[in-house]
Amino acid sequence: MLAEELSCKPADLTQALELSLGAVKDQRGYINFNAKCSDATESWQILSLNRNVPGGSMYLNRGIKERLRNERLRKAVESNNVPRYREWMRFTKPRGPEQIVYGDKVICVRNHRRAPYVYRTKTNGEKEFVANGEIGLVTGQMQYGKKTPYYTNIEFSGRSDRNFSFRRSDFSEDGQPYIELAYAITVHKAQGSEFGSVILVLPAYSRLISREMLYTALTRQKKRIWILHQGPFDRFLALRQYVFSDIAARFTNLLRVSKPQPPRAPVGIPEKLKGAQRKFLEEKLIHRTIRGEMVSTAGAWTAKSTAIGGSRKSASTAAMVSVSSQKQIRKVA
């Protein structure tokens, strides 16, 4: 699947993967991750609903690391085993439980502030906010000589004029690390991001799957989406129905006891999905209009007069707009 997305033969997938992430090949045939290569990190992305289960992002990252990044990992380990008296091309030691090395695609998983190294001025700038969810690329350190590099330099997408240095302790196995692999990430982590192409992995059963989760996953791509699904696809098509909505299942009535009733399931949904629909109470929900006025509903979107400062203003009715696009969708059984 990844070879087809990158338009290469399976035997050339390792090289094609690195080139797709912004690496360049020099005249001698070496592939390097130079400054400003992070602009290509969001050209494609693997998305999964889960994290710590088979088929989840953690397992997918491990598989890519073992099959396509093992040569980079081997070079990083061997360069640190060369005696110190010899001149050698040395890389930063593999970091953390995921063995992050030069050229790996990574994601920041903790909000924090860190001083960048700015390429233009060749100096460290003021501390900047690095947000949870920012995706980047390991661009260093690597150097020729007798001394082993100490820092792991990461260039984040949208900040290709600078990089950020991380110590070994930032990848600690004991606490929560700052950086993780990002060849595959969860749909939750991808909220607010867009990628050129998306490869979506859908398990047959997951407690996290809902209509909103699928909508988020399907709208992360700008060019193309591949869907790798386990089991019949009609089960996922059925999740378009409102009875599988997570938002509709939220109780916002704080003034009386809620008595949720299971909504009637639509005709034609797969037998295995019957009884799995959410329970929700639609009456007495509270919504905020675009003017900031609070309105309540009685089973439908309505307008309501609101008293503000002795005068009465009419609250606007809410509208839902669906936008269709010409984006290409591919489904793979």
Side-chain angles (χ1 to χ4, degrees):
M1 173 61 61
L2 192 55
E4 188 171 350
E5 167 60 31
L6 300 180
S7 302
C8 70
K9 297 178 180 179
D12 301 326
L13 185 54
T14 298
Q15 177 177 291
L17 175 73
E18 294 192 342
L19 294 177
S20 72
L21 295 176
V24 294
K25 182 185 291 188
D26 62 20
Q27 296 178 348
R28 295 180 295 175
Y30 294 109
I31 297 178
N32 300 311
F33 294 88
N34 300 326
K36 300 186 178 182
C37 64
S38 63
D39 289 337
T41 54
E42 295 183 343
S43 60
W44 60 270
Q45 184 64 57
I46 302 174
L47 297 182
S48 175
L49 300 184
N50 303 295
R51 170 180 164 83
N52 298 323
V53 300
S57 60
M58 187 176 70
Y59 284 80
L60 294 172
N61 282 321
R62 183 181 301 170
I64 291 177
K65 187 76 175 180
E66 292 175 353
R67 296 187 60 182
L68 303 178
R69 300 288 297 159
N70 58 342
E71 184 65 17
R72 289 287 186 181
L73 178 60
R74 182 187 65 81
K75 288 182 177 179
V77 173
E78 289 182 354
S79 72
N80 283 273
N81 293 332
V82 175
R84 296 294 178 88
Y85 60 82
R86 297 183 60 183
E87 299 280 344
W88 203 264
M89 179 59 73
R90 301 178 186 271
F91 299 88
T92 306
K93 292 181 179 180
R95 298 302 194 196
E98 296 182 307
Q99 297 290 278
I100 294 174
V101 295
Y102 178 71
D104 271 332
K105 183 177 181 179
V106 294
I107 184 172
C108 176
V109 293
R110 291 177 61 181
N111 292 328
H112 67 286
R113 299 185 67 84
R114 190 175 296 267
Y117 174 79
V118 183
Y119 301 143
R120 180 175 54 84
T121 62
K122 297 184 179 181
T123 58
N124 290 329
E126 298 272 339
K127 283 189 175 182
E128 298 180 5
F129 182 74
V130 182
N132 179 2
E134 289 196 52
I135 293 177
L137 204 65
V138 178
T139 57
Q141 292 175 328
M142 56 178 292
Q143 62 186 31
Y144 186 82
K146 299 179 181 180
K147 188 176 180 180
T148 300
Y150 181 74
Y151 291 100
T152 297
N153 294 339
I154 298 176
E155 186 181 290
F156 290 103
S157 178
R159 306 195 203 194
S160 59
D161 62 336
R162 62 197 64 201
N163 66 42
F164 296 82
S165 296
F166 290 80
R167 299 173 180 269
R168 179 181 178 182
S169 58
D170 294 329
F171 301 85
S172 173
E173 299 183 23
D174 299 328
Q176 182 184 1
Y178 285 87
I179 299 295
E180 293 180 354
L181 288 176
Y183 300 106
I185 61 175
T186 61
V187 175
H188 175 73
K189 282 288 185 185
Q191 292 184 83
S193 300
E194 282 189 325
F195 309 95
S197 297
V198 165
I199 300 174
L200 175 61
V201 180
L202 293 176
Y205 300 99
S206 173
R207 295 181 62 183
L208 299 178
I209 196 167
S210 67
R211 186 172 67 164
E212 290 77 22
M213 181 71 79
L214 284 179
Y215 173 82
T216 300
L218 294 173
T219 54
R220 296 309 93 196
Q221 49 86 21
K222 295 185 287 186
K223 181 178 65 176
R224 176 170 55 239
I225 183 168
W226 302 83
I227 301 177
L228 305 177
H229 61 92
Q230 185 181 33
F233 194 68
D234 60 347
R235 181 178 184 275
F236 302 103
L237 292 176
L239 294 175
R240 296 176 298 177
Q241 303 292 339
Y242 73 98
V243 294
F244 299 105
S245 169
D246 269 345
I247 293 179
R250 297 173 184 170
F251 300 143
T252 58
N253 179 12
L254 303 179
L255 303 179
R256 64 180 64 187
V257 178
S258 297
K259 296 180 180 180
Q261 298 295 327
R264 182 177 300 176
V267 178
I269 67 170
E271 189 68 28
K272 292 183 179 180
L273 283 181
K274 292 183 178 179
Q277 63 268 26
R278 273 61 170 174
K279 297 180 179 180
F280 62 90
L281 182 66
E282 201 170 63
E283 273 92 5
K284 306 301 181 183
L285 298 183
I286 300 173
H287 309 275
R288 186 188 300 275
T289 69
I290 60 175
R291 294 190 300 185
E293 298 167 342
M294 305 304 294
V295 298
S296 64
T297 64
W301 293 92
T302 59
K304 181 180 179 182
S305 296
T306 318
I308 302 179
S311 62
R312 302 188 66 84
K313 297 184 179 180
S314 175
S316 60
T317 50
M320 298 184 67
V321 180
S322 63
V323 180
S324 61
S325 66
Q326 299 298 322
K327 296 177 181 177
Q328 181 180 358
I329 297 180
R330 296 189 184 183
K331 178 173 72 70
V332 181

